[in-house]
Amino acid sequence: MSVAAQPAAASSKVLGDLYARNAKSVMWRGYTATKTNTYLVIVSGFFEPVFYLLSMGIGLGALVGTVATTTGQEVPYAAFIAPALLAVSAMNGAVYDSTWNVFFKMNYAKLYEGMLATSLGPLDVALGEISLALARGALYAAGFMAVMQALGLNLAWSAILALPAVVLIAFGFAAVGMAITSYLKTFQQMDWINFFMLPMFLFSATFYPITVYPEPIQWIVQALPLWHGVELVRGLTTGALSTALLGHALYYVVMIAVGLVVTTRRLRHVFLD
Amino acid sequence: MPQPVIRASNLVKKYKDFAAVGGIDFEIAPGESFGFLGPNGAGKSTTMRMIGAVSTRTGGELEILGLDPDKYGPEVRSQLGVVPQQDNLDVDLRVRDNLIVYGRYFGLPTRTIAPRADELLGFAQLSDRAKARVEDLSGGMKRRLTIARALINDPKILLLDEPTTGLDPQARHILWDRLFRLKEQGTTLVLTTHYMDEAEQLCDRLVVVDKGSIMAEGSPADLIRRFSSREVLEVRFGGGRNEEVASQLGGIGDRHEVLPDRILVYSQDGEAELSRIHQLGLKPITSLVRRSSLEDVFLRLTGRSLIE
Ligand SMILES: Nc1ncnc2c1ncn2[C@@H]1O[C@H](COP(=O)(O)OP(=O)(O)OP(=O)(O)O)[C@@H](O)[C@H]1O
Ligand SMILES: [Mg+2]
């Protein structure tokens, strides 16, 4: 058959056998698998942050009143935590998809082994899996932002930019998550990921301003990825635009680049050694 | 011989210092059915993975359809169908979707794959299970689906790593029949197996490998001729007497071999040897004359003890 005979990656020889420009087939596979199986996971991923927002934002918000953002702007408590929850749910979804899911597919389902026996390269697999996680994350984010809009928590026009920002955040976490997962051998090691994620969720200026911490602690928090995500999304939804936002975005661009390079190398090492 | 589709010379694969494949040479002609026969750990799967362009060689030369698999991985893989030793079907997908999705990994459009998927389901006798979940298939059905999947890109070469291990006789015969049809259509088959009857049925030519090296090469009949006799006489004397009797059998048969429970006498004419044994006044409890098989060759070349 002539179609099969065409060299799959002829025009992308820079990446050699790493990339066959066919990440979309990996996404298609994920879509088909989701269709075949339950929709429940998808629905629950949407509701979790909404419940947080309603209980803490509305409930606690009544006691707290307003809070000052990094730029000094006073905003209602619900408007303060909503963007943080958006960033957190992007992180959680991306990390779940790129760690637990990927770990299982790599080690138990032998899914990638099958994929890499075709004309796909490791980069196709990595990009396809990550894109799928992002598509799902974007869907959740759009839903959550609709809720924010309904509750009047999008304070500025720039809130619309929070959507691509969330995708960027998810991309960063997914790329790094997949890279880390490719080194892990047992489920026990996977627990370390949760061990790291929970405190990051609680302390990254999610529920109160970073200024409550002494300065050295602030530095630590500022070194962690989630803080940059929270600040980026909060800046956009509250309209506190500054060049700092570009710095936050850059943090994620670096995560993506490093994550993709490491993941591709590792997939190649593990499956094409 | 026409231009070979696979050519390996001094092919080596090392894991750290251990040579899983220690410098082997072989050539496979288009349309040929070629087998790797060898005990556990011989390096069969390792060789198959190098041919399948999913494992880079440590040394030597390897060419698949004229391309170096280490440099042209995706191009080489696009021309291959691979049936791995362990099924790795996509359990999240239904039976037919397994074929469709796999075809898309090769970058083929759905309009090409869809009719082919239906045809292959028929070929694998799975048409009525098209919508079933993979988990609900029996082992034999899974194996047939894996073979169907390997054919979705209409490969020039089909690599089968122990295609029928773990299947019952019916399932094996169905699979053999399917593989035979592919061979008739001109697909090059490369397979590994532990089953001598499978090798005799399917392989035009085979190599016996052990500990990463090729011990012998030839057609099944050729190997039997070279490494065994036409017939084998099996005699049992029971209760530890075999060893003692064997010492009196000098001059009988081309050679003989003592096993714990029986003595094998290799010969052109088993019946004649049996009457000579009777003439010596020896009375075996049971005796059996059979044609020599590839199994005799295999055991002669790779020994009877477990290697691992
Ligand atoms: N990834 C690996 N790392 C280290 N050693 C390996 C690896 N893969 C295979 N080996 C070793 O290489 C040798 C050959 O293995 P291989 O799987 O090729 O054998 P085989 O002939 O297919 O055996 P079997 O009949 O049991 O499938 C074995 O000793 C095995 O332990
Ligand atoms: Mg094997």
Side-chain angles (χ1 to χ4, degrees):
Chain A
M1 181 63 49
S2 61
V3 189
Q6 277 170 13
S11 49
S12 65
K13 260 300 154 209
V14 194
L15 285 164
D17 54 357
L18 295 179
Y19 187 45
R21 294 175 162 213
N22 194 7
K24 65 177 182 302
S25 68
V26 178
M27 289 186 75
W28 172 262
R29 181 259 159 209
Y31 168 71
T32 315
T34 313
K35 231 174 37 176
T36 309
N37 297 288
T38 175
Y39 288 88
L40 200 66
V41 195
I42 304 226
V43 177
S44 71
F46 165 74
F47 280 108
E48 198 181 285
V50 172
F51 288 154
Y52 266 106
L53 179 63
L54 295 180
S55 76
M56 306 197 68
I58 314 289
L60 267 186
L63 301 174
V64 177
T66 63
V67 184
T69 66
T70 321
T71 50
Q73 184 188 1
E74 289 283 331
V75 298
Y77 186 63
F80 181 81
I81 66 164
L85 289 171
L86 190 55
V88 167
S89 84
M91 169 181 86
N92 282 338
V95 167
Y96 179 81
D97 276 337
S98 66
T99 59
W100 289 99
N101 243 339
V102 164
F103 184 79
F104 182 78
K105 289 175 185 171
M106 258 180 87
N107 295 288
Y108 293 90
K110 305 271 174 213
L111 184 70
Y112 300 148
E113 186 189 277
M115 288 181 176
L116 291 171
T118 69
S119 40
L120 293 178
L123 189 58
D124 295 282
V125 176
L127 278 180
E129 288 285 84
I130 289 171
S131 307
L132 198 73
L134 298 191
R136 187 155 113 181
L139 211 65
Y140 293 158
F144 189 79
M145 288 201 68
V147 173
M148 282 176 72
Q149 186 67 29
L151 295 177
L153 302 177
N154 289 326
L155 306 181
W157 65 267
S158 54
I160 190 71
L161 295 177
L163 205 56
V166 165
V167 174
L168 183 75
I169 292 166
F171 199 167
F173 278 106
V176 169
M178 201 163 168
I180 292 172
T181 305
S182 68
Y183 283 97
L184 303 184
K185 297 266 184 292
T186 66
F187 271 111
Q188 280 80 350
Q189 294 171 324
M190 302 284 297
D191 281 334
W192 284 96
I193 295 173
N194 286 357
F195 186 77
F196 180 71
M197 298 256 298
L198 186 67
M200 193 157 72
F201 163 53
L202 293 172
F203 300 125
S204 292
T206 343
F207 296 111
Y208 40 80
I210 193 172
T211 45
V212 302
Y213 298 123
E215 201 150 303
I217 305 272
Q218 287 190 26
W219 292 338
I220 296 176
V221 171
Q222 288 174 347
L224 297 176
L226 183 58
W227 180 76
H228 293 273
V230 169
E231 283 297 304
L232 176 60
V233 179
R234 188 176 281 147
L236 293 169
T237 61
T238 58
L241 306 179
S242 72
T243 48
L245 297 190
L246 288 177
H248 299 317
L250 191 66
Y251 190 104
Y252 281 91
V253 172
V254 173
M255 276 173 83
I256 292 167
V258 173
L260 280 183
V261 168
V262 175
T263 301
T264 305
R265 268 205 207 146
R266 283 291 300 169
L267 283 181
R268 183 192 185 135
H269 175 77
V270 174
F271 294 104
L272 301 173
D273 69 325
Chain B
M1 190 153 114
Q3 196 67 2
V5 287
I6 301 176
R7 190 204 310 262
S9 72
N10 197 22
L11 184 61
V12 176
K13 177 71 186 185
K14 282 190 179 163
Y15 292 108
K16 305 236 169 63
D17 284 337
F18 172 75
V21 175
I24 59 174
D25 303 77
F26 58 88
E27 286 190 356
I28 303 175
E32 191 176 22
S33 171
F34 187 87
F36 289 93
L37 201 59
N40 291 133
K44 302 182 298 292
S45 297
T46 307
T47 306
M48 292 294 255
R49 286 167 45 77
M50 285 191 279
I51 298 174
V54 291
S55 174
T56 49
R57 61 184 182 273
T58 316
E61 298 298 318
L62 183 61
E63 238 179 62
I64 318 291
L65 298 163
L67 295 173
D68 178 344
D70 288 1
K71 293 207 189 86
Y72 296 91
E75 289 87 342
V76 168
R77 293 196 296 269
S78 74
Q79 316 255 18
L80 302 178
V82 179
V83 177
Q85 186 166 354
Q86 271 157 3
D87 286 327
N88 57 10
L89 292 164
D90 196 330
V91 291
D92 291 332
L93 305 180
R94 294 180 194 284
V95 167
R96 185 170 180 273
D97 287 338
N98 255 278
L99 302 181
I100 303 279
V101 165
Y102 212 71
R104 293 186 66 132
Y105 294 157
F106 287 99
L108 302 172
T110 310
R111 87 187 108 77
T112 312
I113 313 165
R116 209 181 278 171
D118 294 322
E119 196 182 307
L120 286 170
L121 284 176
F123 170 81
Q125 296 181 313
L126 288 170
S127 297
D128 53 335
R129 308 304 293 261
K131 292 232 176 322
R133 282 173 180 275
V134 168
E135 298 134 75
D136 298 337
L137 299 183
S138 74
M141 289 174 178
K142 282 187 189 152
R143 212 60 186 146
R144 296 207 299 272
L145 181 58
T146 305
I147 293 179
R149 188 185 71 170
L151 295 170
I152 195 72
N153 58 324
D154 197 11
K156 295 210 169 63
I157 304 173
L158 185 60
L159 304 177
L160 303 133
D161 198 350
E162 298 188 22
T164 65
T165 299
L167 302 187
D168 67 24
Q170 283 85 350
R172 288 176 73 205
H173 281 277
I174 293 175
L175 265 179
W176 286 352
D177 171 62
R178 304 293 123 155
L179 295 178
F180 218 82
R181 287 197 210 176
L182 287 174
K183 189 172 142 40
E184 281 176 345
Q185 290 163 20
T187 310
T188 306
L189 302 182
V190 182
L191 60 118
T192 77
T193 184
H194 297 295
Y195 295 121
M196 306 304 135
D197 48 348
E198 184 159 288
E200 293 197 56
Q201 288 267 345
L202 292 177
C203 299
D204 300 325
R205 205 156 56 86
L206 53 91
V207 288
V208 179
V209 282
D210 193 14
K211 302 191 189 92
S213 309
I214 291 180
M215 315 295 290
E217 190 222 301
S219 69
D222 182 33
L223 287 172
I224 292 170
R225 204 175 321 117
R226 272 164 44 211
F227 294 97
S228 195
S229 51
R230 201 170 74 92
E231 292 186 341
V232 181
L233 165 65
E234 299 195 5
V235 282
R236 289 167 205 260
F237 291 92
R241 288 196 57 222
N242 291 329
E243 203 57 72
E244 177 199 328
V245 170
S247 59
Q248 307 175 38
L249 293 183
I252 292 188
D254 302 343
R255 66 191 172 89
H256 63 262
E257 185 178 5
V258 189
L259 304 183
D261 64 330
R262 60 191 193 273
I263 302 173
L264 304 184
V265 179
Y266 296 91
S267 164
Q268 281 305 306
D269 183 350
E271 291 295 345
E273 306 298 346
L274 182 59
S275 49
R276 290 177 64 192
I277 288 176
H278 284 302
Q279 281 162 22
L280 288 174
L282 297 168
K283 300 228 164 3
I285 302 168
T286 64
S287 63
L288 164 78
V289 177
R290 59 171 174 82
R291 291 188 68 84
S292 197
S293 73
L294 210 44
E295 186 146 350
D296 299 303
V297 175
F298 184 81
L299 290 173
R300 173 148 189 214
L301 289 171
T302 62
R304 285 192 187 265
S305 55
L306 263 179
I307 287 112
E308 288 157 328

